[in-house]
Amino acid sequence: MKTHLAHLLLVTTSIWLIPIPLAIAKPKPAQSVTVVPPQVISPAAALNRLIVAEKLDASWFTPAFLKAVDKNSDVNALQMQRDITMKLGRFRYGSYKSVQSIGGSKYRVLFERAEPDAVVIKLAIDAKGRIANLEISEKNKPAPKAPAQAAAQAALDKSFKTNTRANGESSPVLLSLKQ
């Protein structure tokens, strides 16, 4: 038994003498979270974003502005109005080019086929960079002269009454509209 005990003692002491590699986890540095405050953009940048963005975001507008546009403060109503306005603008003036400040809170909206002041927007933003007010003014085109307007009305009336186009051919569309 002494031999077994001596052998066990030798094995035990040799185990303690062998350096065992230990993996000690180093404490990780504290995770630092950088809080970036929302960036306030310039009025010109806000206006440009309003024009070119595919989808509008409600956070770009003050609650009062959204409420004025739609009683439910729905940004989708504003999206629809913006889309229609831009389609009309492209139809009348060509593609949108840029926004240019003309002093104070007024900006030109430049299009490829429009004179520089064809569309002027007065814009107000709040301290957070949200659109608080927007007024669009478009240079008025001269109204048609009375004789030209009367001639156009007479041609339209004639087309509906006789079901004929301006070239004298019958119009199945006008006929079906009348029915």
Side-chain angles (χ1 to χ4, degrees):
M1 192 150 151
K2 287 188 176 186
T3 44
H4 288 288
L5 185 60
H7 190 275
L8 182 61
L9 190 60
L10 181 61
V11 170
T12 308
T13 53
S14 62
I15 290 176
W16 286 104
L17 296 176
I18 298 173
I20 299 174
L22 295 176
I24 300 174
K26 294 181 183 177
K28 292 183 180 180
Q31 296 285 335
S32 63
V33 177
T34 306
V35 177
V36 179
Q39 202 173 28
V40 177
I41 63 174
S42 71
L47 183 55
N48 186 63
R49 178 177 65 184
L50 173 67
I51 293 170
V52 300
E54 185 174 320
K55 185 99 171 116
L56 301 182
D57 189 315
S59 68
W60 299 348
F61 309 94
T62 62
F65 181 78
L66 284 175
K67 187 80 169 171
V69 172
D70 180 69
K71 67 180 179 179
N72 298 319
S73 299
D74 185 9
V75 74
N76 293 326
L78 183 61
Q79 174 89 40
M80 188 172 65
Q81 288 180 7
R82 191 281 312 255
D83 291 347
I84 291 168
T85 302
M86 287 309 298
K87 283 181 183 179
L88 287 172
R90 279 191 294 277
F91 177 74
R92 289 181 187 142
Y93 307 119
S95 297
Y96 165 74
K97 288 171 51 179
S98 65
V99 172
Q100 184 181 62
S101 176
I102 54 176
S105 59
K106 290 187 179 181
Y107 298 85
R108 286 184 186 112
V109 180
L110 302 174
F111 291 90
E112 67 180 357
R113 294 190 318 260
E115 60 184 85
D117 288 324
V119 179
V120 174
I121 293 181
K122 186 176 180 183
L123 178 73
I125 63 171
D126 69 358
K128 295 179 181 177
R130 300 177 301 181
I131 295 175
N133 191 27
L134 179 81
E135 297 173 25
I136 302 172
S137 59
E138 192 174 352
K139 272 192 176 177
N140 293 334
K141 297 179 182 180
K145 304 285 184 209
Q149 192 172 10
Q153 183 65 41
L156 187 60
D157 287 345
K158 179 182 174 191
S159 292
F160 273 105
K161 289 177 184 170
T162 63
N163 297 325
T164 57
R165 296 181 180 149
N167 63 6
E169 296 176 3
S170 66
S171 173
V173 172
L174 291 176
L175 183 61
S176 66
L177 283 174
K178 279 183 104 172
Q179 291 174 347

